[in-house]
DNA sequence: CCTTATACGGTACTCACCGTACCCTGTGTG
DNA sequence: CACACAGGGTACGGTGAGTACCGTATAAGG
């Protein structure tokens, strides 16, 4: 089965080139990723499914991982409209739950596999980052935080990318250090209630500390 | 060169067994890790250096990654006495800088390589976690925080593992999402000044929010 | 319409490494 | 002293990355 690389409708004698062929390869690679995950993504298999050969692949991507990343980008649709539950806590938990289910889904496994396979190569990681990669954009967190500030639930100084992304960083950290199974919902609420909400709420200077900006290098 | 697996002092006819052989294997594996990193850690090479063969290896570890993890544990000494600079900010930055230099060092690269190779296997990740793995124990952060509470620099409610580990999680997140190069010092101070210190300082309830414990599931 | 550079397709091959299978031999134990 | 067992030597099967040719369809250019 699946010996044919082209659809039956296409004339078998048509030789694909350029963008058309690239499309077919990426489609095949994405299919393999979905079916067999990152370890199953072999150049031979992708070439076979695309009805071409490894030459065409290596002419476009330098190695297996690069192809995998390119293929993943078409798998990850930009599915993140920030939630609006009316409270910061609700929004936070909703975002965390979305991300958690994405990361523990097959797509999340693929993403984690690719991150691992990238082995810290900055270019590959960058390509993996933008396309809705973690199931939640940084931008979404900022708008969500912005609404909270408007409602008076959060201090204006908290409207900072580094602050906004704290919950996602903590969640990702769970996956990195603990491994595959989905993170328990209790952890999500703990991240929200013990870290994010307190952080975002009170930032009034009540402890004696040096100037928060322009640190004098301890 | 390096054809001989045993030291010249040893009688060549002595056949090592049990713990002695295991020692030799782990020593060889750690050596390979140091010289060639995780990708260079091949079973053949380790067996060659240890002056034995792959049988002895597979009799003890199920696969290459397991051996790598075991070898790493002897590389990572327990080098973390929590700093005591007198201020929470100083301690925090010191811890972050230590961790940053560990993670960007060759040892950090090995650790990151092993985490990647573990592919999310919980057991392997667990073995990687305890031995000073990230260059900073959770315990160290807790004692450091405890001192800050005693000095009045931090609110008592902040003495919580999830809170204490926030800086490390954020730092690790940088490595995971950005890749190899060392994290800039400015990022460390930002983590301290924009996130950790504000979080730990003011936790007074000043925004209107539902009960922080026992969430009613949004 | 013919020529030509280019990219496809097909195939075979090298290389490295994982993991396994034998088989012989040294060693500690009963 | 016999024997079970682990160590040592070696070879092998299998898989997948990446490379090398070589003939050929196709698009571009004269």
């Amino acid at each position: 089965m699946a010996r044919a690389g082209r659809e039956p409708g296409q004339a078998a004698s048509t030789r694909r080139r350029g963008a058309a062929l690239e499309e077919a390869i990426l489609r095949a690679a994405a299919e393999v990723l979905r079916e067999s995950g990152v370890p199953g993504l072999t150049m031979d298999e992708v070439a076979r499914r695309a009805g071409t050969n490894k030459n065409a692949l290596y002419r476009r991507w330098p190695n297996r991982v690069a192809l995998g990343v390119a293929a993943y980008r078409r798998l990850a649709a930009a599915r993140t409209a920030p939630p609006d539950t009316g409270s910061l806590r609700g929004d936070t938990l909703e975002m965390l739950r979305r991300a958690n289910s994405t990361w523990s889904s097959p797509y999340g496994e693929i993403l984690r596999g690719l991150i691992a396979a990238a082995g810290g190569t900055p270019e590959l990681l960058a390509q993996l980052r933008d396309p809705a990669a973690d199931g939640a954009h940084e931008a979404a967190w900022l708008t969500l935080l912005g609404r909270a500030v408007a409602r008076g639930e959060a201090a204006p100084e908290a409207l900072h990318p580094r602050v906004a992304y704290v919950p996602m960083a903590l969640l990702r950290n769970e996956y990195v250090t603990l491994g595959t199974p989905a993170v328990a919902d209790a952890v999500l609420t703990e991240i929200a209630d013990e870290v994010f909400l307190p952080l975002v709420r009170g930032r009034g200077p009540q402890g004696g500390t040096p100037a928060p900006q322009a640190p004098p290098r301890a």
Side-chain angles (χ1 to χ4, degrees), chain A residues 16-175:
Chain A
R16 297 156 303 175
R17 297 173 76 88
L21 180 57
E22 187 156 332
E23 261 296 307
I25 295 172
L26 283 176
R27 190 188 313 280
E31 198 178 305
V32 175
L33 271 184
R34 228 180 300 115
E35 289 177 21
S36 323
V38 177
L41 188 81
T42 71
M43 298 305 249
D44 290 281
E45 177 62 12
V46 172
R48 199 185 60 76
R49 292 227 198 177
T52 181
N53 57 8
K54 292 196 283 180
N55 281 337
L57 274 57
Y58 280 104
R59 219 172 273 133
R60 291 174 168 77
W61 298 277
N63 54 55
R64 173 180 163 276
V65 183
L67 170 59
V69 170
Y72 175 80
R73 289 169 65 92
R74 77 170 30 215
L75 241 46
R79 50 166 177 288
T80 348
D84 194 354
T85 66
S87 80
L88 176 57
R89 184 169 192 279
D91 288 354
T92 300
L93 284 177
E94 175 60 22
M95 286 289 280
L96 283 175
R97 287 187 178 122
R98 279 190 201 172
N100 192 28
S101 88
T102 299
W103 274 71
S104 59
S105 78
Y107 289 90
E109 183 173 335
I110 291 172
L111 176 57
R112 283 181 279 116
L114 287 173
I115 289 176
T121 310
E123 306 86 58
L124 292 174
L125 289 174
Q127 293 182 317
L128 242 21
R129 222 173 311 126
D130 37 352
D134 358 43
H137 296 320
E138 186 172 346
W141 281 95
L142 276 175
T143 65
L144 173 162
L145 234 188
R147 283 200 300 257
V149 170
R151 280 194 303 262
E153 280 189 284
E157 313 92 78
L159 205 50
H160 186 291
R162 180 81 50 192
V163 172
Y165 214 52
V166 161
M168 284 304 296
L170 295 193
L171 179 57
R172 197 198 317 269
N173 190 58
E174 292 292 307
Y175 277 97

